Amino acid sequence: MAVHLKDIAAYTGVSIKTVSNVVNGNYDHVGPETRALVLDAIKKLNYQPNNAARHLRKAQVNVLAYAFPDLSNPYFADIGHAIATEAAGRNYTVLLDYTFSERDKELNILAGMSPHLIDGLILDSHALDVEDMSQIQTSGPIVLLGERLFGAPLDHVLIDNTAAAYTATRHLIEQGKRKIAAIGVQKARSEAPSLRLQGFMQALTEAHLPIDQSLFMDGGLWHRPDGAAAMQALLARPREEWPDAIFCFNDLMALGAISVLGAAGCRIPEDIAVIGIDDIEDGRYANPPLSTIEPDKHEIARIAVHLLLERITGRRTQEPESIYVPFHLHARASTMGCKTN
Amino acid sequence: MAVHLKDIAAYTGVSIKTVSNVVNGNYDHVGPETRALVLDAIKKLNYQPNNAARHLRKAQVNVLAYAFPDLSNPYFADIGHAIATEAAGRNYTVLLDYTFSERDKELNILAGMSPHLIDGLILDSHALDVEDMSQIQTSGPIVLLGERLFGAPLDHVLIDNTAAAYTATRHLIEQGKRKIAAIGVQKARSEAPSLRLQGFMQALTEAHLPIDQSLFMDGGLWHRPDGAAAMQALLARPREEWPDAIFCFNDLMALGAISVLGAAGCRIPEDIAVIGIDDIEDGRYANPPLSTIEPDKHEIARIAVHLLLERITGRRTQEPESIYVPFHLHARASTMGCKTN
């Protein structure tokens, strides 16, 4: 059970405002006895606001870390760049740490976070669960990104994945496509595949299109070769079973699919349209340019850095929140053809 | 003037082997007086092998850093991944730090390197010069990557850029191309552009082809948009002045050029062939797949990590070396057409 400011207030009989002042190191209006009483209660109740202990120590090194799963996906490079830029504007350096989506690596990062090393962590976890998080004694605040760890007691910045997938699928339907395959559908520790599948099916249902599970394709690690392999499997079917559009759950798989369609001489989008999610630069320069859903990366970075610094400096002591940022549809030639060229 | 083991040996009158033992913390065969004598000489002569002081301290944290200029270029992500994999196999974690190619950021990384934070640094510098390096008091060993800081007193792992560019250009000539443009030619703090231009011109000269400076195109920051802009400028010329092949000094620019050629309806390679350098995954999945020169990234990472750990542990005390690793030509459809498909 997490201990909150109000528990310390109830335990000590002082106001929440006073407890908050002590936690944040504002002793101007707090007498020494009250201060000792609150600090004692913090210890006895094992109160662990990531920021409190650190703020009392005031040992900031002005270094943040961004831990992400996959160095070969430019989406994370984009986010890292946005975070580093945002943090630089506030005089913080950002160290990047990547985890191969491995649970042990993520645990190590959490366990190894020391106040000498970094002040706080922005974590895009792909392997931990809420129980892991509650068992780890971290010494600095954490802000979560991405589609895992819903319900962890941490601030969390993300997009509405179901709505994003719905928007992508609806765009294909609006282009007259009726037989749409989805690539990237699989059980994974991350929630992203199932949320995106929900949005996909929601758009099909709303348009009274059948849901054909033979068009649900696994996407492995969501890399280019995974998208290419799924596309090859679809093209290996009899021509009359081919889909007329592909919704890939990220841009990398869409680029893999486009390379297979190009090599097979299929016309994009006339024969088969393709859309992804992420808006990585690779897609903008693909042949044809790739339609996609862009999570607002600057907003993600801006809010994540802001929340983290608020926790580090002790200005934010409220309960953690999940904050959803906008996404945008970019309709390019891979779904619109020459209409956009 | 750098002070070497032999200077300490001469100063103290003990053997180099004994000095080396003391520097490396092997006291088994060194008496206490000799040890004190050597340690005193190390101090008096201001001997600064990065590793010696640190090894005597024995305060390793098993963390390395890789500092690189550009997060949006997948080449550096590939190298980072290879370094992290190599280091993980030797029980080291790698923090990534990127510098936007900015001098201040690079200086900060060097100045901020502390033994509590990291044991050593692999640096792909794009902004510092040799004088900067000599003025910085770093507390841990450094291995350099890339095409700058030739002559800095540090171990350096790189490819022969002139030979790589020669190989790429010669490959275009062997495909029958005669009017070859180069994209990425500009004065920069890094030596890479001028070394690659040398190799380019060397291949043209050897094939008795004219060197036409109107086909030397700037490449800005060597990103996709830079390659696209240069290609657009070439296509804006009268048709009879078009080149029949493009050598881009990296893959990102080549992908930008390919996107412009695709949108303009040019046939690749029949009208204009394209080759790059780096072998990033994006190129392998381009339409058409991009021919390129692959620096042996695994070898770069393997040797860099090895040299760094040897310095950290004090097993390597010799003069710094420049070590050249191999590169490989991958001839794909962007130069070979259907011959490779």
Side-chain angles (χ1 to χ4, degrees), chain A residues 68 71 77 80-81 84-85 93-98 100 105 116-117 224-225 228 255-256 258-259 262-263 281-282 285 287, chain B residues 68 71 77 80-81 84-85 93-98 100 105 117 224-225 228 255-256 258-259 262-263 281-282 285-287:
Chain A
F68 57 102
L71 195 57
H81 181 79
T85 306
T93 296
V94 177
L95 292 174
L96 309 176
D97 201 341
Y98 87 109
F100 303 90
K105 194 87 183 352
H116 301 298
L117 190 60
R224 287 185 189 82
L255 292 166
I258 282 180
S259 82
E281 191 186 79
D282 322 37
Y285 285 86
N287 268 332
Chain B
F68 57 103
L71 195 57
H81 182 79
T85 306
T93 296
V94 177
L95 293 175
L96 309 176
D97 202 342
Y98 86 109
F100 303 91
K105 194 85 182 358
L117 190 62
R224 286 184 190 82
L255 292 166
I258 282 181
S259 82
E281 191 187 78
D282 323 37
Y285 285 86
N287 268 332

Side-chain angles (χ1 to χ4, degrees), chain B residues 105-149:
Chain B
K105 194 85 182 358
E106 294 188 353
L107 284 170
N108 280 344
I109 287 175
L110 292 174
M113 247 209 325
S114 89
H116 300 299
L117 190 62
I118 57 171
D119 298 317
L121 172 68
I122 297 173
L123 171 66
D124 196 328
S125 168
H126 277 229
L128 300 180
D129 51 35
V130 172
E131 205 174 323
D132 289 324
M133 298 303 292
S134 63
Q135 284 172 1
I136 289 164
Q137 295 279 348
T138 59
S139 59
I142 299 173
V143 170
L144 291 176
L145 304 184
E147 285 68 49
R148 261 192 80 67
L149 293 171

Side-chain angles (χ1 to χ4, degrees), chain A:
Chain A
M1 270 286 285
V3 175
H4 303 299
L5 291 184
K6 65 173 160 39
D7 303 315
I8 296 169
Y11 186 81
T12 54
V14 307
S15 72
I16 291 182
K17 174 73 185 152
T18 301
V19 173
S20 166
N21 278 337
V22 173
V23 163
N24 293 323
N26 298 326
Y27 299 138
D28 296 352
H29 306 288
V30 185
E33 290 90 350
T34 309
R35 177 178 160 183
L37 186 71
V38 172
L39 288 174
D40 186 53
I42 285 174
K43 211 180 283 174
K44 279 202 183 121
L45 297 179
N46 195 25
Y47 175 61
Q48 297 191 327
N50 293 316
N51 48 359
R54 12 181 353 88
H55 192 70
L56 293 172
R57 264 199 316 273
K58 288 184 187 296
Q60 288 182 33
V61 291
N62 278 41
V63 177
L64 310 178
Y66 168 50
F68 57 102
D70 185 357
L71 195 57
S72 62
N73 186 339
Y75 174 76
F76 299 107
D78 288 349
I79 293 284
H81 181 79
I83 288 173
T85 306
E86 187 68 31
R90 302 179 67 165
N91 285 320
Y92 276 78
T93 296
V94 177
L95 292 174
L96 309 176
D97 201 341
Y98 87 109
T99 59
F100 303 90
S101 302
E102 285 172 11
R103 187 164 175 280
D104 285 351
K105 194 87 183 352
E106 293 189 353
L107 284 170
N108 281 343
I109 285 174
L110 292 175
M113 245 207 326
S114 87
H116 301 298
L117 190 60
I118 56 171
D119 298 316
L121 172 67
I122 297 173
L123 171 66
D124 196 328
S125 168
H126 277 228
L128 300 179
D129 51 37
V130 173
E131 205 175 325
D132 289 323
M133 298 305 291
S134 63
Q135 285 173 359
I136 289 164
Q137 298 277 352
T138 59
S139 59
I142 300 173
V143 170
L144 291 177
L145 303 185
E147 286 68 48
R148 260 193 80 66
L149 293 171
F150 291 108
L154 297 169
D155 293 314
H156 193 167
V157 184
L158 69 172
I159 64 165
D160 182 336
N161 273 266
T162 307
Y166 168 85
T167 303
T169 311
R170 203 180 142 74
H171 171 70
L172 293 172
I173 295 168
E174 284 169 356
Q175 307 316 308
K177 300 302 185 179
R178 291 292 173 267
K179 193 170 178 182
I180 305 173
I183 298 182
V185 175
Q186 65 252 50
K187 289 264 178 265
R189 297 200 73 166
S190 164
E191 297 292 323
S194 68
L195 294 174
R196 292 181 186 181
L197 185 60
Q198 275 175 40
F200 172 68
M201 294 195 294
Q202 192 181 316
L204 295 180
T205 304
E206 190 188 272
H208 308 294
L209 293 172
I211 288 175
D212 175 357
Q213 296 212 9
S214 79
L215 296 174
F216 291 7
M217 308 297 288
D218 264 17
L221 296 170
W222 287 26
H223 288 166
R224 287 185 189 82
D226 303 308
M231 193 71 242
Q232 252 147 0
L234 285 167
L235 294 188
R237 298 177 186 180
R239 178 80 203 225
E240 64 274 16
E241 292 178 20
W242 284 12
D244 59 10
I246 313 282
F247 169 34
C248 293
F249 286 4
N250 77 1
D251 280 359
L252 277 189
M253 289 187 289
L255 292 166
I258 282 180
S259 82
V260 168
L261 289 170
C266 287
R267 292 170 310 155
I268 306 171
E270 294 81 359
D271 297 331
I272 300 182
V274 181
I275 192 168
I277 292 186
D278 280 350
D279 192 33
I280 57 176
E281 191 186 79
D282 322 37
R284 300 197 285 277
Y285 285 86
N287 268 332
L290 177 65
S291 295
T292 191
I293 300 283
E294 176 206 1
D296 193 326
K297 297 168 198 165
H298 289 289
E299 252 332 74
I300 291 172
R302 193 184 65 78
I303 295 174
V305 170
H306 176 75
L307 292 177
L308 190 59
L309 295 192
E310 291 290 289
R311 293 278 179 202
I312 288 169
T313 55
R315 284 192 297 266
R316 180 175 170 89
T317 53
Q318 67 196 79
E319 289 286 292
E321 290 175 284
S322 286
I323 294 176
Y324 287 84
V325 302
F327 58 82
H328 313 286
L329 170 68
H330 294 280
R332 302 195 184 110
S334 74
T335 57
M336 305 289 282
C338 53
K339 279 176 278 181
T340 65
N341 268 344

